[in-house]
Amino acid sequence: MNLIFLAIVLIAFAVAAIRQVQWQAPAGDAEASSPMQDLALGMIDTAESSVTLALGLIGVMALFLGLMKVAEAGGLLRIFAKLLRPVMVRLFPDVPADHPAMGAIIMNMSANALGLGNAATPFGIRAMQELDTLNPHKGTATNAMALFLAINTSSVTLLPTGVIALRAAAGSSDPAGIVPTTLVATICSTTIAILSCKLLQGRFPARAAEPGESPSADSSQATAAPSSDKTEDKLDPPLPETTDEAYPGWISALVLLGVLAIVPLTVLYGKTIAPWIVPGLMVLLLGFGAAKGVRVYERFVEGARDGFQVAVRIIPYLVAILVAVGMFRQSGAMELLIGPLGAVTGLIGLPAEALPMALMRPLSGSGAYGILASIIQDPAIGPDSYAGYLVSTIQGSTETTFYVLAVYFGAVQVRRVRHALPCALMADLAGVAGAVAICLLLYGHLT
């Protein structure tokens, strides 16, 4: 992210400087601002608006994390894990069903599905550590490791709470409208992740890493960067216990079919269902917690406190990336880069204003989050336009692939990632394609 941030700033300054040298004040308009003046004013305005955005985000983030804390205390995460176990046992035939790695994998995926980033990250690292105990070639990713990482970067998502919160803070009239689109996009990306791993694992033979090879990731550096992303959260909370329990296979199959049945319902009635999601979540999650004997008020306040801390913690990151992106746009560099590419991608439903989001997402969670904020805050676009829905869906349905690879493989010093990276990138591409398709179908008429 250091190089990306610096490159954006330097390119923006260079383009503005060239324009400044070539600029001439319009005749009769002595007060006309020069390109460099526009750049300076844009930087100040963007810095102020980024803090305003973060302050507006505090309340919404506190609301959603409060609700999720109630659900977590009521055992919703464990219920999801029990439902997933029969499926995971078949997806990971190399991992014994009763091995600790299986429990950590299931809990990680359950936490990601529910938007519980603080729980997902430590479970993911624990899963990699346990998988490494089954690894005959230390330093080389096993088939199970590669598949777990690819699924983790795609991860079927039911509640993209962070993006919903950001949309609400941006003044969206339908902040939860991305729940159905995110579900469809993540089903697409997860399907591609699984298929590509199964097809490519034979083309990348496993062998031990050479002693002199440098690691592809440094876990001590990778885990040090905080962000709002679900896998870029700091590992502050203690690791919860995993579970070896499972529901009967037929129950898991029924639930899986139910999730798949949501897809056509989303296509047909997505816009009708979306307004019910936020109030429905409030009632259902608090009701679930109360039915499980949870002291819902105390747990809600505890989660809301965490939400407040998360929202405050991301202010410096929002300021940094939003100012850099604002400079890039104000200088004219964005138009020079995105114009030709956007003319091509616009033909397939990926407009020029959404293209930076698709390009940044695999590289940096905080960078993509900042670009998302700048797009939906732009009065010319807004959160409820087609582009607003599209970039929100891309943020909620794709992952910071290189960061995940660095953190998870770095935790066990894996040097040879084999097919993990291409499979994860194919899953990212499938997520973007799925997002474009479903957003075109539901919101393509919006401007």
Side-chain angles (χ1 to χ4, degrees), residues 80-99:
F80 266 76
K82 291 165 68 175
L83 286 170
L84 285 175
R85 177 170 285 274
V87 178
M88 294 298 104
V89 168
R90 289 168 175 77
L91 277 180
F92 293 88
D94 299 335
V95 182
D98 57 349
H99 195 276

Side-chain angles (χ1 to χ4, degrees), residues 263-275:
V263 176
L265 291 177
T266 294
V267 174
L268 295 175
Y269 306 108
K271 289 180 287 185
T272 303
I273 297 171

Side-chain angles (χ1 to χ4, degrees), residues 125 127-133 135-146 149 206-210 213-219 404-421:
I125 293 176
M128 276 295 182
Q129 292 171 340
E130 295 294 345
L131 287 172
D132 198 47
T133 64
N135 189 356
H137 303 296
K138 300 300 182 184
T140 298
T142 63
N143 291 339
M145 285 179 172
L149 185 132
R207 61 186 179 87
E210 298 296 334
E213 288 182 315
S214 59
S216 61
D218 183 349
S219 61
V404 173
L405 185 142
V407 171
Y408 285 9
F409 282 153
V412 290
Q413 292 297 295
V414 165
R415 297 168 173 82
R416 296 187 183 278
V417 300
R418 297 179 62 218
H419 54 294
L421 180 58

Side-chain angles (χ1 to χ4, degrees), residues 59-259:
V60 188
M61 188 71 77
L63 168 64
F64 279 102
L65 289 189
L67 290 176
M68 295 314 300
K69 178 64 73 173
V70 172
E72 185 180 4
L76 189 60
L77 181 59
R78 187 171 292 272
I79 291 174
F80 266 76
K82 291 165 68 175
L83 286 170
L84 285 175
R85 177 170 285 274
V87 178
M88 294 298 104
V89 168
R90 289 168 175 77
L91 277 180
F92 293 88
D94 299 335
V95 182
D98 57 349
H99 195 276
M102 186 63 71
I105 290 172
I106 292 168
M107 298 297 275
N108 168 269
M109 294 181 182
S110 301
N112 273 333
L114 295 174
L116 299 174
N118 283 340
T121 302
F123 274 130
I125 293 176
R126 171 66 62 83
M128 276 295 182
Q129 292 171 340
E130 295 294 345
L131 287 172
D132 198 47
T133 64
L134 302 172
N135 189 356
H137 303 296
K138 300 300 182 184
T140 298
T142 63
N143 291 339
M145 285 179 172
L147 177 59
F148 170 65
L149 185 132
I151 293 178
N152 198 276
T153 59
S154 56
S155 189
V156 171
T157 303
L158 302 178
L159 297 175
T161 51
V163 184
I164 293 175
L166 186 60
R167 287 175 54 80
S172 172
S173 62
D174 185 17
I178 63 161
V179 170
T181 58
T182 300
L183 177 61
V184 171
T186 52
I187 288 176
C188 293
S189 60
T190 301
T191 301
I192 294 300
I194 294 172
L195 291 177
S196 61
C197 277
K198 295 297 184 181
L199 290 174
L200 293 181
Q201 64 185 22
R203 297 179 177 270
F204 292 81
R207 61 186 179 87
E210 298 296 334
E213 288 182 315
S214 59
S216 61
D218 183 349
S219 61
S220 63
Q221 294 177 358
T223 56
S227 167
S228 59
D229 226 344
K230 65 185 177 183
T231 55
E232 290 189 54
D233 290 318
K234 295 176 74 174
L235 306 181
D236 294 332
L239 182 66
E241 295 180 0
T242 59
T243 178
D244 293 329
E245 301 174 354
Y247 289 122
W250 63 270
I251 294 181
S252 298
L254 285 178
V255 172
L256 180 60
L257 290 175
V259 172

Side-chain angles (χ1 to χ4, degrees), residues 428-443:
D428 286 339
L429 182 60
V432 172
V436 169
I438 189 61
C439 287
L440 273 176
L441 190 59
L442 295 183
Y443 304 112

